[in-house]
Amino acid sequence: MSRDILHNIEHVLARIQRACLQHNRAADSVKLLAVSKTKPIEDIRILAEHGQRDFGENYVQEMAIKHEDMPDLIW
């Protein structure tokens, strides 16, 4: 499972980089917001360990639970 998660985020980051190059835009001007709804904290931890800091949730109750486990992330 973690291999799939890392493969997916690497693919998305590569697409962002290509789009930025194509449109003469600085890659650091784009922020990836990972949607963590319905995902277990273990999956979020894997992404956080690989540099993903910004996450989005649909429900504040679920975000509050995940924030409690990982308060150093941006929710």
Side-chain angles (χ1 to χ4, degrees):
M1 179 62 115
S2 64
R3 177 180 282 160
D4 292 339
I5 294 167
L6 294 178
H7 172 77
N8 290 345
I9 198 162
E10 287 170 5
H11 177 73
V12 169
L13 291 172
R15 288 182 62 198
I16 291 170
Q17 182 117 19
R18 283 192 305 273
C20 287
L21 286 172
Q22 182 179 4
H23 297 283
N24 297 318
R25 184 171 176 172
D28 63 357
S29 71
V30 175
K31 186 178 284 193
L32 176 62
L33 178 65
V35 177
S36 56
K37 87 178 202 184
T38 74
K39 300 300 179 196
I41 197 72
E42 295 80 22
D43 290 355
I44 297 165
R45 191 168 282 115
I46 289 167
L47 291 178
E49 289 170 357
H50 286 84
Q52 180 63 35
R53 309 309 300 162
D54 301 285
F55 291 84
E57 280 289 336
N58 275 10
Y59 300 105
V60 72
Q61 298 91 338
E62 194 161 335
M63 182 278 302
I65 293 167
K66 292 175 179 176
H67 180 268
E68 203 172 293
D69 284 336
M70 302 199 73
D72 57 323
L73 300 179
I74 299 168
W75 295 95

